[in-house]
Amino acid sequence: MTKVSFKYEPDKFLTLFPENIFDKIDKNHPAKLVEMVVNQLDIKDILQKYKGGGCSAYHPRTMIKIIFYSYLSNIYSCRKMALAVKENLPLMYLAGGITPDFRTINDFRGKTLKDSLQKLFAEIVKLLVKEGYLSLDIQYIDGTKIESAANKYTFVWRGSVEKYKEKLEVKINKVLSDIEDSIHSDNQEINKKELPKKINVEALKEQLSQINKRLEEPSKKQEKELQKLQNEYLPKLEQYEKSLEIMGDRNSYSKTDTDATFMRMKDDHMKNGQLKPTYNAQISTENQFITHVSIHQTPSDTTTLESHLNGFEKNYQKQSKEVCADAGYGSEENYEMLERKGVKGYIKFSFFHIEQKKKQKEDPFLVQNMYYNLKEDYYVCPMGQKLRNVGKGKRISSNGYKSEIAYYQAQRCEGCLLRGLCHKSKGNRRIEVNYRLNQLKSRARALLTSERGQYHRRKRPIEVEAVFGQLKSDNKFNRFTHRGKEKVEMEFLLMSIGHNFRKLLSNRKKTAQLEAKTNKNTLKSSQNTTFLFSYLLQAA
């Protein structure tokens, strides 16, 4: 029987010189990469926030290393970071022996680092540009809805607030009218004032102040009505006005996170289209690196594009030459904005794919397939009837953008044999035409169907969609842990920095493997050449 041998027991093994445990960290370890990148960052803005005196503070560069590596390792909780600094060897190496508690880490992240994080993110991207991983000449843009940390049943809706506020204004006006009537009956010399239908908090306070001055000794009924106005109606009116102020241009908000808006999510676990308090996170990518991040409170991607591109331009003092996005961004406003900025927009519009089908192209009842007489400005339907211009109108988007619409109407559709196929309205057929949008769509169609456009359309799903998949599925980031737009943006920026570090590590590993394989093939080829040369010499 073979004798079993064991290695030494660690507690009985003695060394002559103490061992450096950090030597166990490989030179290609992610911690070494984080250290190298953070040491190159400019943190003057963060250093200026510190005031002299008092207890010495942990160096901000060390704290940044701890937080960046934690997000790279999918550690998002400050308590877990504080524990990992004491137990995790790479974090112990980056911390350099310090052990900040969770409150210190949380205060640094939420107060000191928050305002400078966008700048640090941009600096990391610039380092990637310098290394040749990015060019910043192309942006693949898309958005995803990420659930807020707010309670999903604490919703406040604009429609409800406006409805109850209107009912309250009616009640207030009625009580004020009753008081005025009683004053008018007591004193004939006082003229009864006409009360405004719409009333706000300031107007109500002023009305109450004037009534109190005019009523030296109010009756019991008047006193009761004044108390009702002061103690019941006024606080409710203040609450409704505050809710509308918080809401701004939105239709809803959450009581436990007033910056979150209720939106429908694709990955609804209830499968019934529930509305949840959510933020619309927009990202730009290139080679699956995240190059820009912005957080929005509107569910539609259409309204986010301009502010997202403006943020990109502010960070890098340049704008990309090309932008590629899906049909959610295709609008007259966005196409004009891209032309104004001198950017080639490979952005699909609604029905881009549908209009290329044979059924759509051969449908004679569609507006785009009707004959148009430019000189006399009329369309001709399949039955030969002219649809003449009957006027113009304007449409205003949620961003305040105005579009001009031309209206065309047929004169007699009664008795038409093709009416059932043509339209379903009761009267004569009426069509709307946006000439400017049609012109912009034509340019967008030419770009999208070009060779370059087809390349971008093939690449877009494996660019930005893959990044969202990695963030949500691989890193389990499906819900924000912070509340408020500023802190949510901070959290998403840290997630993006962690993603960029992971992507950089992956690319470096692939490059190292490729170089090793190349060197191996070169060595093998050299050995074969040497063997052949030796064989030829022997043969000679």
Side-chain angles (χ1 to χ4, degrees), residues 274-301:
Q274 280 191 350
L275 293 166
K276 295 181 181 178
T278 311
Y279 289 95
N280 188 352
Q282 299 284 318
I283 64 169
S284 298
T285 68
E286 184 183 352
N287 296 331
Q288 291 193 11
F289 285 96
I290 299 175
T291 56
H292 186 56
V293 166
S294 62
I295 299 294
H296 303 268
Q297 297 170 287
T298 54
S300 172
D301 289 337

Side-chain angles (χ1 to χ4, degrees), residues 327 348-363 366 368-369 445 457:
K348 290 183 284 188
F349 47 85
S350 300
F351 304 107
F352 169 73
H353 293 290
I354 295 174
E355 72 174 18
Q356 297 179 50
K357 293 183 179 179
K358 184 179 179 181
K359 183 180 178 181
Q360 292 291 113
K361 289 181 178 179
E362 295 180 355
D363 189 346
L366 295 177
Q368 60 266 29
N369 296 333
R445 192 183 295 109
R457 283 163 52 197

Side-chain angles (χ1 to χ4, degrees), residues 46-62:
I46 297 176
L47 291 171
Q48 290 174 357
K49 295 178 182 179
Y50 287 84
K51 297 178 181 179
C55 181
S56 59
Y58 295 117
H59 200 282
R61 201 179 291 276
T62 305

Side-chain angles (χ1 to χ4, degrees), residues 22 58 62-63 65-66 85-86 88-100:
F22 297 140
Y58 295 117
T62 305
M63 298 295 289
K65 291 175 185 177
I66 292 170
V85 165
K86 298 176 183 178
N88 186 300
L89 184 60
L91 269 174
M92 290 167 66
Y93 166 76
L94 290 172
I98 67 170
T99 55

